Amino acid sequence: MGYGDKLFWLSVVIQRKYAQICAEFDLTPAQATLLCAVRNEPRQMADLAASLGMTKNALSQLVDRTARRELVGRASSAQDRRIVMLSATPTGKVLAEAFYAQVVERLPEIARNLDADDQRDFERMATAVVDTADLSVPVADPPATP
């Protein structure tokens, strides 16, 4: 297997572990990610869509589903009513904090078969990849069909 193949399978291992934790909290992976993204402070919907690599439409649908569970809420920005802010509800915040704590504790289990030096190297490299990733690049909305 080549490097790209290994990265593909690494993403599968990470997604499987993440999905397992999500299921224990009765969340879809998308809902869990959304909750974690807004657990500490409200975020602008447009910025959030860019950070999560989603179209605005896809994020809006995800927010609708998550809001029906009373885990997130929308509000207009006090400075500009055209800007929609998204935040966790009190229930959503409690759930997000509990979920996030489990992710932080259990996701490193994917490296449990590595020796201590390799685990430290893996952590260092994962940190470097995330720290240098541009999480603000928006995903283009698909063109409207007539």
Side-chain angles (χ1 to χ4, degrees):
M1 265 196 268
Y3 179 60
D5 295 316
K6 297 290 185 180
L7 288 176
F8 168 77
W9 287 109
L10 175 60
S11 75
V12 170
V13 169
I14 292 170
Q15 289 174 58
R16 280 180 30 193
K17 178 57 99 174
Y18 189 72
Q20 177 187 28
I21 299 166
C22 291
E24 293 171 14
F25 284 84
D26 193 29
L27 294 167
T28 67
Q31 288 172 329
T33 300
L34 176 65
L35 275 176
C36 288
V38 299
R39 77 185 194 287
N40 291 326
E41 63 186 7
R43 303 266 313 262
Q44 288 185 22
M45 290 271 293
D47 293 344
L48 194 54
S51 294
L52 297 179
M54 301 177 76
T55 64
K56 292 174 189 174
N57 186 45
L59 177 60
S60 185
Q61 291 175 13
L62 173 60
V63 169
D64 288 345
R65 290 189 303 274
T66 310
R68 280 194 292 275
R69 293 188 58 190
E70 299 180 0
L71 300 175
V72 296
R74 291 180 177 101
S76 295
S77 167
Q79 293 80 18
D80 185 341
R81 296 192 47 78
R82 296 171 295 178
I83 296 174
V84 177
M85 303 297 292
L86 184 69
S87 60
T89 64
T91 301
K93 183 162 180 54
V94 169
L95 183 62
E97 291 296 341
F99 171 79
Y100 192 78
Q102 283 297 300
V103 168
V104 169
E105 179 183 327
R106 294 172 48 198
L107 203 54
E109 292 173 5
I110 67 167
R112 71 181 173 274
N113 294 328
L114 301 177
D115 66 36
D117 287 341
D118 286 344
Q119 285 184 22
R120 281 189 295 278
D121 287 344
F122 187 73
E123 180 182 357
R124 181 182 51 76
M125 288 183 280
T127 299
V129 168
V130 171
D131 287 351
T132 59
D134 187 356
L135 298 175
S136 64
V137 176
V139 173
D141 283 319
T145 54

